[in-house]
């Protein structure tokens, strides 16, 4: 089993729709979770981080964490073509140092 | 916010030569730096973790004699790909961790695209 798994893509949504990206992790002791966006040919940029169970909202982005289910998600409301990118879920090791990344989900927002 | 400067952004080198990639934290002290490699259509794979003033810790399967990492100061880490071969062609990205606000700390450099011909 992979340590961090993301829903297989690619994911395509129309402009204005809600895009839902999902991630599960295997290390039950993990405490910190990150969502990165990576445009083609560029390095990842941090979108959201979440540590507590529940929802965390930042503009059009909402991260959701359920530690009991070992599940973290990212919702993008009012999706824009500029949101088209690969979204990487990352989980910090229990030791608190390294990040483990999922394979990424490629999102395309169609005008 | 925290900024990590990575150079060069791209490099083409001949097989058998060495290439050095620099990663600098511009406005914070990076106690820990991570070096990743990313092949096309794949996720980031951690190569090694370096802490200022000590030897780097390499991930399983990464040749430490081929990928030399130096973290001589709190603002600079370098990755040298020695005797590069075409299979080393990849996108190399550094990430620095701010020792003060570590919870936010994973800032990525802009990446270096290495092509070995």
């Amino acid at each position: 089993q992979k340590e961090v798994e993301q829903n297989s893509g690619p994911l395509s949504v129309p402009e204005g729709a809600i895009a839902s990206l999902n991630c599960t992790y295997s290390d039950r002791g993990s405490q910190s979770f990150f969502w990165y966006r990576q445009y083609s040919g560029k390095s990842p940029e941090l979108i959201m981080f979440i540590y507590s169970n529940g929802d965390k909202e930042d503009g059009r982005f909402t991260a959701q964490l359920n530690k009991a289910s070992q599940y973290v998600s990212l919702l993008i409301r009012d999706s824009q073509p500029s949101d088209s990118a690969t979204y990487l879920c990352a989980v910090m090791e229990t030791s608190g140092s390294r990040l483990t990344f999922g394979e990424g989900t490629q999102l395309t927002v169609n005008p | 916010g925290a900024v990590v400067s990575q150079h060069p952004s791209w490099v083409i080198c001949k097989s058998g030569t060495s290439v050095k990639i620099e990663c600098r934290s511009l406005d914070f002290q990076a106690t820990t730096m991570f070096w990743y490699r990313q092949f096309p259509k794949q996720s980031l794979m951690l190569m090694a973790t370096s802490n200022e003033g000590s030897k780097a810790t390499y991930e399983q399967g990464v040749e430490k004699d081929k990928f030399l990492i130096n973290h001589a100061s709190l603002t600079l880490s370098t990755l040298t790909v020695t005797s590069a071969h075409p299979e080393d062609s990849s996108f190399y990205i550094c990430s620095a961790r701010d020792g003060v606000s570590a919870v936010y700390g994973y800032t990525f450099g802009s990446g270096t695209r290495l092509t070995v011909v």
Side-chain angles (χ1 to χ4, degrees), chain B residues 41-63:
Chain B
K41 305 285 186 191
Q42 295 185 22
S43 190
L44 282 73
M45 296 301 297
L46 181 65
M47 298 175 65
T49 302
S50 70
N51 294 294
E52 184 267 338
S54 63
K55 289 184 178 181
T57 302
Y58 290 82
E59 295 300 300
Q60 191 172 8
V62 177
E63 300 174 58

Side-chain angles (χ1 to χ4, degrees), chain A:
Chain A
Q1 181 188 2
K2 294 180 182 177
E3 294 180 45
V4 179
E5 292 199 50
Q6 296 185 236
N7 52 327
S8 59
L11 177 65
S12 183
V13 301
E15 185 174 355
I18 296 176
S20 177
L21 305 162
N22 303 314
C23 175
T24 59
Y25 58 95
S26 61
D27 183 356
R28 185 170 288 277
S30 298
Q31 297 294 321
S32 305
F33 308 87
F34 303 81
W35 281 99
Y36 285 86
R37 177 176 63 197
Q38 186 176 26
Y39 291 112
S40 180
K42 303 294 185 181
S43 67
E45 56 179 322
L46 183 65
I47 298 295
M48 296 278 290
F49 60 87
I50 186 167
Y51 308 124
S52 304
N53 276 327
D55 295 358
K56 179 182 179 183
E57 187 174 317
D58 184 1
R60 295 185 296 112
F61 299 93
T62 298
Q64 299 174 317
L65 175 62
N66 183 325
K67 291 184 179 179
S69 300
Q70 296 174 242
Y71 173 92
V72 59
S73 67
L74 179 69
L75 299 177
I76 306 174
R77 292 183 300 281
D78 188 24
S79 296
Q80 301 297 309
S82 59
D83 295 326
S84 299
T86 295
Y87 289 81
L88 299 166
C89 172
V91 178
M92 187 184 295
E93 284 189 345
T94 306
S95 63
S97 179
R98 306 185 321 170
L99 284 181
T100 299
F101 285 85
E103 294 290 321
T105 300
Q106 184 177 345
L107 171 67
T108 300
V109 180
N110 301 303

Side-chain angles (χ1 to χ4, degrees), chain B residues 33-35 47-51 54-58 62 64 66-72 77-80:
Chain B
M33 286 194 177
F34 304 89
W35 286 94
M47 298 175 65
T49 302
S50 70
N51 294 294
S54 63
K55 289 184 178 181
T57 302
Y58 290 82
V62 177
K64 62 180 181 181
K66 180 173 183 61
F67 299 98
L68 302 179
I69 291 173
N70 185 283
H71 193 163
S77 178
T78 61
L79 167 68
T80 301

